[in-house]
Amino acid sequence: MSLLRRVGAAVAAALAAAGVIDESRLRATTDLAWPRIVTGFAIMSKRTVDLALVGLVIGPTAVAGLTLANAFWMAAKFVAIGLAGGTVALVSQNYGGGDDERAAAVVRLSVLIALALAVPAVAAFGLAAEPLVGLLGGDETAIGYGATYLAVVAPGLLFEFLNLIASRTYAGVSDTVTPMVVRAGGGIANIALSATFVLGFDMGVAGAALGTALATGLVTVVFAWGMTGRSYLRGRGASPVPLRLRGSPHDRELLTQIGRVSAPLVARRAAQGLVVFPLLAIAATFGPVAVAAVGVGRQVRALLGSFSWGFSIAASTLVGQELGRGDESEAEAYGRGITRLSLLVYLVAAAVVVALAEPIAAVFVDDPANLALSADFVRVAAISVVALGVDGSITGTLRGAGDTRVPFVATLAGAYLAALPLAWAGTVIPALGVGGLLLSLLAETAVPLAVNLRRFRSNRWKAVSRSYRPSPGD
């Protein structure tokens, strides 16, 4: 046995002995989670690279501009993530229950819905970028940078909608390696393209946006091959529930189910995306440096959130498949074990980032006057990501059961009843000031965790799942 395997076995045994997660469940979880974590880092690296490039080449005003533009991109993308969450829930349950035909029908319908949602968003962002970004107020130069970025990157949003459906489809059939390889390749392409356009051709903000849009489209082209049932190398990567043009006798029923499961997820994600607009408008009252600091902090949190990509999708898939088989006790065991594991991982990750806050902030800003504030936001973002990560595992469990309404309400409470009022308080209480924005980062993740944890402990999600499982005769 190699040293790496011995270390892995020792860690697994220690986690089992400590009551964190059983070894067999840990193996199933990590098999699904680690490729998704790599995928998450690859996807989040696009925004990170863009912010770092324009921050070092142009300055904090450009970072502020990209932060404003990214608010619109992420608001639309969160809608796609919500739809994709419904996809993985229904694909995993039907695939786990042995009904591949229904699972494939879910994929086809999800793609059609994604196209219907993405096209209007792309048109709006491309044609009305400047007035949209201008709604957030702030420095005119920052608004100009943001409008340029949003207009150029807008076509990539259509590709991102399709990429999310593809990624979640693979996850629903327990294949997270294929999307990891495809997404990682897209991340590398994005770095190469954006760096070439920004540094080589001196295209500035437009170059960063163009690199991201082209790299996202490349990922869609590669996904299309496997999603239509064709293998990549050595017979690997073909989706076992391939995308087909023809309809299914289950379409009407499944469309209703997709609506019931995805609507709360879409609403929840939309709420997460929309709250950023008033938060940035509040930050803009403190100047572009504050907007840039908020952008850096939220981007670092999003990058750390990549761990949750793995744990959340593992919870959704494994819990959904066990529920599809009718084993509710095993589904609960997976949910509890993955949640405890995510808590441990995020405590370690947050501690590392807090200790390295200044060097991390320096990747995005090099002005000493701006560095201190950005470092403060990085520290607070790292602390807040612990609640975000644990909540991701709990939400993944609920999503795997098709129980998506309570997480929606929890997000609303965290964003609009806690985070937004705290940020606003900084504008009317001089002693609080920018500290209100820092407190809002903490409240935005802590409140949903408390609500969703209560829901998970109630076990009502098991009853919800029974209406989505395939019957023995299907």
Side-chain angles (χ1 to χ4, degrees):
M1 183 182 293
S2 68
L3 176 61
L4 185 60
R5 289 186 177 180
R6 288 198 298 270
V7 171
V11 170
L15 290 173
V20 175
I21 187 170
D22 176 82
E23 289 190 52
S24 63
R25 298 189 191 106
L26 175 64
R27 188 177 304 108
T29 299
T30 54
D31 285 348
L32 282 173
W34 78 263
R36 285 296 300 166
I37 292 171
V38 175
T39 302
F41 275 104
I43 294 171
M44 290 298 105
S45 71
K46 295 180 180 180
R47 291 290 166 272
T48 307
V49 168
D50 288 354
L51 284 176
L53 282 173
V54 302
L56 295 178
V57 173
I58 304 175
T61 304
V63 173
L66 261 68
T67 299
L68 298 175
N70 282 338
F72 290 93
W73 171 280
M74 291 306 298
K77 181 177 176 177
F78 276 156
V79 172
I81 292 174
L83 173 62
T87 301
V88 71
L90 295 176
V91 168
S92 64
Q93 289 200 36
N94 285 288
Y95 183 74
D99 197 330
D100 292 359
E101 182 186 351
R102 285 170 61 91
V106 169
V107 176
R108 185 178 59 83
L109 293 171
S110 296
V111 168
L112 294 176
I113 296 171
L115 290 172
L117 293 173
V119 171
V122 170
F125 292 170
L127 298 175
E130 187 166 356
L132 285 173
V133 176
L135 291 174
L136 300 180
D139 183 84
E140 288 297 325
T141 305
I143 291 173
Y145 284 133
T148 298
Y149 185 88
L150 183 60
V152 176
V153 82
L157 187 63
L158 175 62
F159 301 128
E160 187 61 19
F161 267 67
L162 298 175
N163 293 342
L164 284 165
I165 298 299
S167 293
R168 297 304 193 275
T169 298
Y170 277 107
V173 298
S174 298
D175 179 4
T176 52
V177 174
T178 297
M180 175 197 70
V181 174
V182 176
R183 288 289 207 169
I188 294 171
N190 183 78
I191 293 173
L193 290 169
S194 293
T196 299
F197 294 143
V198 174
L199 302 177
F201 297 144
D202 195 24
M203 294 176 63
V205 168
L210 182 60
T212 295
L214 290 176
T216 307
L218 177 62
V219 169
T220 304
V221 172
V222 177
F223 262 138
W225 183 269
M227 284 291 290
T228 50
R230 292 172 287 189
S231 300
Y232 292 100
L233 295 175
R234 299 178 181 177
R236 298 177 181 177
S239 172
V241 287
L243 182 62
R244 295 284 185 262
L245 295 178
R246 66 178 183 273
S248 160
H250 309 292
D251 278 0
R252 180 172 296 181
E253 175 194 357
L254 291 175
L255 192 60
T256 301
Q257 290 188 0
I258 291 173
R260 286 212 311 266
V261 176
S262 295
L265 288 173
V266 170
R268 172 177 175 261
R269 290 296 190 173
Q272 284 180 308
L274 292 175
V275 76
V276 175
F277 295 108
L279 287 174
L280 290 178
I282 291 171
T285 64
F286 297 101
V289 172
V291 175
V294 170
V296 170
R298 295 185 75 89
Q299 186 58 38
V300 169
R301 186 169 73 179
L303 197 60
L304 283 174
S306 300
F307 289 108
S308 184
W309 285 51
F311 294 130
S312 182
I313 208 69
S316 290
T317 300
L318 295 170
V319 168
Q321 289 182 356
E322 293 301 332
L323 290 173
R325 298 182 184 107
D327 194 340
E328 294 183 355
S329 62
E330 185 66 10
E332 180 179 354
Y334 267 116
R336 291 185 179 278
I338 293 172
T339 298
R340 290 191 293 262
L341 179 62
S342 65
L343 172 61
L344 182 61
V345 169
Y346 268 102
L347 286 173
V348 174
V352 172
V353 173
V354 168
L356 300 175
E358 287 199 11
I360 291 173
V363 173
F364 303 92
V365 293
D366 56 2
D367 183 355
N370 302 330
L371 182 60
L373 183 60
S374 293
D376 286 340
F377 273 90
V378 168
R379 293 186 187 95
V380 173
I383 295 170
S384 73
V385 86
V386 176
L388 178 71
V390 176
D391 181 55
S393 297
I394 296 172
T395 302
T397 298
L398 300 179
R399 185 173 60 238
D403 186 7
T404 54
R405 295 182 182 178
V406 171
F408 165 55
V409 175
T411 297
L412 287 181
Y416 296 94
L417 299 182
L420 196 54
L422 284 170
W424 173 80
T427 65
V428 296
I429 304 176
L432 186 58
V434 178
L437 292 168
L438 293 169
L439 290 175
S440 72
L441 278 175
L442 296 172
E444 190 179 2
T445 60
V447 172
L449 170 61
V451 175
N452 289 325
L453 180 59
R454 181 181 178 86
R455 178 66 171 187
F456 173 74
R457 288 176 171 173
S458 74
N459 282 327
R460 293 177 183 173
W461 51 276
K462 296 178 182 177
V464 171
S465 75
R466 293 167 195 153
S467 63
Y468 299 114
R469 303 178 197 173
S471 67
D474 284 337

